[in-house]
Amino acid sequence: MNIHQEVNELKGEIVALRRDFHMYPEIGFEEYRTAEVVTKYLTECGMEVKRVAKTGVVGLLRGKETGKTILLRADMDALPVEELNDVPYKSKNQGKMHACGHDGHMAMLLGAAKVLSTHKNQFKGNVKFVFQPNEEVTGAMDMIDAGVLADPKVDAAFGIHLWSPLKSGQIGLANGPVMAANEEFEITILGKPGHTSAPQEGVDPIIIASTIIQTLQSIQTRETDVLTPTSIVFGRIKGGTARNIVTEKVEMGGTIRFLYENEESGKKELLGKVERLVKGICAAMRAEYEIKFIPSNPAVMNHPEIVELVRVSVKETYGNEGTIVPYMCMGGDDFAYFTQKVPSTYCFLGIGSKDKGSNYPHHHPRFDIDEDILAYGTEVHIRTALRFLNR
Ligand SMILES: [Zn+2]
Ligand SMILES: [Zn+2]
């Protein structure tokens, strides 16, 4: 089979699929239309198709004989963003937009499903095509709970994220943690209300909050090796009712992101540092506090064996290795849950091109993708699956 040629012939269809998804974006667990399009397409490819975890879709393609099973994953959800691009395929759903590239992820994977389904006599084992809802929150866990890794048991998982920070065509690939673990937090500083003319009579939680915000930044450079990525950022702060009142409390929240080899012990230590500083500052400044940590994604952890398979697949797709760059980032992705269960690899496929206007950050209202890149993603999916199953 000539995979390169077959994918090339499918290019127009892949782009059309992407544009269709782009025009009708649906946010997490509301991907009903999206799921219908995916279900219909996979069914027409002649595979067993199931709906899993509300709006998730799983297609199972069985090869010529029993063998291992590889899971290929695309996420399906859009974002609550009003699109500002003036393009023929602009979002028709007000206030919703595929601003993260998941429309492209689905199109690439459907392309791979079509090509692989015509070659099921040429591999052993199975390919599980997983279309996962609600990535922006955490839909992967719901799919795993619903049994997506069983029957047949999944032996490896692979996924691609289109990535505008990388130049069009580049592949970001690395071993170990490549997307950060994320822990969210809420901190409430409880002071004592009063008049701003006599703040000494009260306890001002605003000045305490500002001390906490500043001091927690020191964890990243004074309490942690700067070569182990750690990022503490406040995204929300609320307090006060009037300019002349010492307020009673300040509520604030944010994210703690980190990429550690040993995630469990590293996380425990890091959260301990955060609470120690909050507790110490509040004690020193006469306030009470409440702190709550809300676990979000663990890190996306790439397995060296699967990384190697992908590396060879990329080389075959592009004809050279120059397109691969070692890459990791502080963003998170719930593909992390798959990587915790089976040997996996998540790679980044660059779509950033200034000329094509596809260099806006993800989640930006002008985000767009370089559609010329989609066929590469499809081919890497196909080659990685075949390489894993036929080795
Ligand atoms: Zn996103
Ligand atoms: Zn995304």
Side-chain angles (χ1 to χ4, degrees):
M1 61 176 134
N2 186 338
I3 298 171
H4 193 69
Q5 194 188 325
E6 287 179 42
V7 172
N8 255 331
E9 282 163 13
L10 211 58
K11 244 178 178 172
E13 189 167 321
I14 295 168
V15 170
L17 282 163
R18 180 263 161 163
R19 291 186 173 195
D20 178 67
F21 290 130
H22 193 86
M23 278 193 280
Y24 302 100
E26 296 169 300
I27 57 173
F29 284 137
E30 289 175 14
E31 305 95 334
Y32 295 105
R33 179 192 181 275
T34 308
E36 252 166 61
V37 174
V38 171
T39 303
K40 186 165 173 276
Y41 196 92
L42 293 177
T43 308
E44 281 168 8
C45 289
M47 58 181 87
E48 301 163 36
V49 185
K50 270 200 303 207
R51 290 287 283 270
V52 175
K54 208 170 171 188
T55 44
V57 184
V58 179
L60 182 65
L61 184 65
R62 295 183 195 272
K64 61 178 170 181
E65 54 188 274
T66 55
K68 299 210 162 185
T69 300
I70 186 164
L71 179 158
L72 303 177
R73 178 266 209 173
D75 39 14
M76 308 164 81
D77 52 328
L79 288 151
V81 170
E82 180 71 32
E83 177 158 20
L84 289 181
N85 290 320
D86 192 14
V87 287
Y89 49 87
K90 185 178 176 164
S91 167
K92 290 185 189 292
N93 293 348
Q94 216 198 344
K96 292 170 194 169
M97 180 191 174
H98 268 294
C100 201
H102 301 182
D103 48 349
H105 300 173
M106 290 184 280
M108 291 190 298
L109 192 55
L110 288 176
K114 190 164 201 172
V115 173
L116 280 166
S117 66
T118 60
H119 294 290
K120 57 186 176 191
N121 294 327
Q122 279 155 289
F123 63 86
K124 45 187 184 175
N126 314 293
V127 187
K128 220 179 240 193
F129 298 90
V130 169
F131 292 80
Q132 181 216 302
N134 201 33
E135 183 284 323
E136 298 289 354
V137 186
T138 171
M141 218 44 225
D142 295 81
M143 288 204 105
I144 292 170
D145 288 344
V148 79
L149 292 176
D151 191 30
K153 182 179 119 359
V154 169
D155 299 289
F158 175 61
I160 298 175
H161 206 305
L162 294 167
W163 210 243
S164 68
L166 287 175
K167 283 202 188 74
S168 273
Q170 276 187 323
I171 294 261
L173 185 64
N175 284 330
V178 294
M179 287 187 96
N182 182 18
E183 186 88 5
E184 307 197 341
F185 63 87
E186 293 286 346
I187 298 172
T188 305
I189 314 298
L190 302 157
K192 204 171 123 194
H195 197 288
T196 54
S197 64
Q200 71 280 5
E201 303 293 330
V203 173
D204 175 12
I206 287 182
I207 201 163
I208 298 167
S210 72
T211 307
I212 288 173
I213 292 168
Q214 296 284 347
T215 309
L216 288 192
Q217 301 309 303
S218 72
I219 291 176
Q220 296 157 66
T221 57
R222 300 299 185 279
E223 295 205 33
T224 308
D225 180 346
V226 292
L227 296 178
T228 53
T230 308
S231 159
I232 302 171
V233 178
F234 286 82
R236 190 177 77 76
I237 178 162
K238 190 177 130 206
T241 51
R243 285 193 291 272
N244 59 355
I245 296 173
V246 171
T247 190
E248 193 182 353
K249 66 176 179 183
V250 170
E251 294 166 327
M252 47 196 184
T255 57
I256 305 173
R257 295 171 188 270
F258 47 99
L259 276 164
Y260 298 164
E261 282 291 340
N262 192 333
E263 190 171 318
E264 200 139 323
S265 63
K267 169 173 146 175
K268 202 171 159 211
E269 211 179 300
L270 177 58
L271 301 190
K273 288 170 186 170
V274 170
E275 178 146 19
R276 169 168 51 73
L277 288 176
V278 172
K279 186 177 176 185
I281 291 165
C282 287
M285 299 178 85
R286 302 178 295 142
E288 301 287 321
Y289 75 95
E290 284 162 10
I291 190 166
K292 194 164 86 183
F293 293 110
I294 305 127
S296 187
N297 291 336
V300 172
M301 198 63 84
N302 279 354
H303 192 285
E305 244 177 71
I306 313 297
V307 168
E308 205 37 50
L309 285 177
V310 175
R311 188 183 301 282
V312 179
S313 303
V314 169
K315 214 172 127 183
E316 285 178 349
T317 299
Y318 287 81
N320 67 67
E321 218 169 327
T323 42
I324 298 178
V325 289
Y327 190 81
M328 54 167 78
C329 70
M330 296 307 274
D333 195 297
D334 69 356
F335 187 76
Y337 291 108
F338 294 115
T339 73
Q340 284 192 327
K341 305 276 182 194
V342 292
S344 306
T345 287
Y346 204 42
C347 77
F348 302 89
L349 175 52
I351 49 160
S353 160
K354 207 173 168 200
D355 296 343
K356 293 178 183 169
S358 61
N359 59 339
Y360 285 93
H362 290 252
H363 296 197
H364 190 285
R366 290 197 187 281
F367 176 86
D368 202 355
I369 63 184
D370 176 358
E371 292 175 330
D372 293 334
I373 297 307
L374 295 173
Y376 289 110
T378 296
E379 194 167 335
V380 173
H381 268 305
I382 296 167
R383 291 189 186 275
T384 300
L386 290 175
R387 189 155 283 280
F388 179 78
L389 297 174
N390 282 342
R391 68 182 170 164

